Amino acid sequence: MKIAKSLCLGLLVSGAALTAAHAAELTVNLAIAQPDGVGASAGTVRIVETPYGLAFYPQLKGLPAGLHGFHVHENPSCAPSTANGTVTPAGGAGGHFDPKGSKRHGEPWGDGHLGDLPPLFVAQDGQAVNPVLSPRLTKLDEVKGHALMVHAGGDNHADHPAPLGGGGARIACGVIGG
């Protein structure tokens, strides 16, 4: 009986380890957004399904220090776009991912755009390595076929005093594949 219990416990532990080791995840390559297209590599972000939402694990470099707006955008493109003679680097990504049509910027745990993530912290050496958790995004399939964006400024998760949280220009972008 003891041997059977030990064997069952061993199978449960190894099964749990196997499940954890094979959690659903994917890696996104981000590049510096340029007016003439995609620039140099900025690194990667690994996206992992967790019981608490999607976790974003950045390994980014060469970014300005400070807090930055971090979002999933609607289109799978990091190409520049032109409107009224003005070029927007990574404009091809479109706006923030908003499948429910909220049409408003909000907190990552609130009821605004589903693509609104917590801010990305970049250290003084230009590296971003601190994970970000998005509790409302729970499955990789929700973000596949969209873009992941880093903005120049911070994000106050409101549309006031500046629209879309005040993050400003798009500085790094990657297409979330699958």
Side-chain angles (χ1 to χ4, degrees), residues 110-170:
D111 59 359
H113 304 142
L114 196 56
D116 294 337
L117 304 176
L120 180 72
F121 173 74
V122 178
Q124 289 298 322
D125 64 1
Q127 294 188 45
V129 296
N130 293 338
V132 169
L133 180 66
S134 177
R136 293 187 308 142
L137 292 169
T138 60
K139 299 289 181 200
L140 290 173
D141 286 342
E142 294 173 289
V143 297
K144 287 179 183 175
H146 299 285
L148 187 60
M149 190 75 64
V150 178
H151 290 269
D155 189 338
N156 70 359
H157 301 295
D159 285 320
H160 301 288
L164 301 174
R170 300 160 184 222

Side-chain angles (χ1 to χ4, degrees), residues 71-100:
H71 307 105
V72 174
H73 280 242
E74 60 189 349
N75 301 325
S77 173
C78 292
S81 66
T82 304
N84 301 321
T86 302
V87 175
T88 300
H96 296 176
F97 179 51
D98 189 22
K100 296 182 180 178

